[in-house]
Amino acid sequence: MPAFSRTDYEVGVTQLSGVELRMAADPTQLSIVRAVAADIAMRQDFDLDSIEDLKLAVDETCSTLITMAADDAVLSCHFAVDGKGAVHVRAKVAGKSAAGPDEGSFGWRVLTALVDSVETRVEETEGFAVHIGLVKSSAGAVDA
């Protein structure tokens, strides 16, 4: 089964587009994910504030998933850009339980304030897979 199905994204973003990172669900790996998020946002001419917003949102997303991860879980984070230049991020991890992220937490409120949309779901297959997806559009272009 592919990590993300073609139906996970709007038209123009497929499972084969973008970049996918797979790493140990460990906080020491967060700098790598933030760097990739920043690079993708810069390539889309996001302004500096939007780049920082995306980095913080990706950090909060992955941190949330890491706290929910089962022992020795792999964190998967997929980045793609749609035809309008918005960055789509889909992250998932094998979870300890069927509980999803706490949508009443301070971290969740920060996350929802930083991006255009956030969604979450928990799949029960062989164990639990916790997913968080977000979309961030550029607030403006970087001046040349």
Side-chain angles (χ1 to χ4, degrees):
M1 182 172 156
F4 300 94
S5 71
R6 290 184 184 274
T7 59
D8 283 341
Y9 300 107
E10 294 176 17
V11 175
V13 180
T14 69
Q15 68 186 17
L16 301 177
S17 64
V19 174
E20 184 173 3
L21 302 173
R22 294 175 51 84
M23 67 207 79
D26 185 293
T28 61
Q29 304 298 314
L30 291 174
S31 62
I32 297 166
V33 181
R34 283 192 306 266
V36 170
D39 185 67
I40 290 170
M42 284 186 277
R43 290 173 188 267
Q44 292 305 309
D45 289 330
F46 278 30
D47 62 27
L48 295 177
D49 287 336
S50 295
I51 292 168
E52 286 303 313
D53 288 351
L54 181 62
K55 283 174 48 180
L56 287 170
V58 166
D59 186 89
E60 186 60 39
T61 296
C62 293
S63 295
T64 298
L65 290 174
I66 288 168
T67 63
M68 303 175 75
D71 293 338
D72 299 323
V74 172
L75 174 67
S76 174
C77 194
H78 184 268
F79 298 86
V81 178
D82 68 19
K84 296 178 183 175
V87 176
H88 295 248
V89 181
R90 299 280 188 242
K92 73 174 184 175
V93 73
K96 297 177 208 174
S97 71
D102 178 4
E103 295 183 20
S105 70
F106 176 74
W108 190 263
R109 291 176 192 261
V110 169
L111 176 60
T112 58
L114 293 171
V115 296
D116 301 319
S117 67
V118 181
E119 61 184 35
T120 185
R121 73 180 194 283
V122 178
E123 287 180 346
E124 188 172 350
T125 53
E126 295 177 16
F128 304 101
V130 183
H131 299 256
I132 299 177
L134 55 94
V135 179
K136 176 69 177 167
S137 299
S138 174
V142 175
D143 293 331

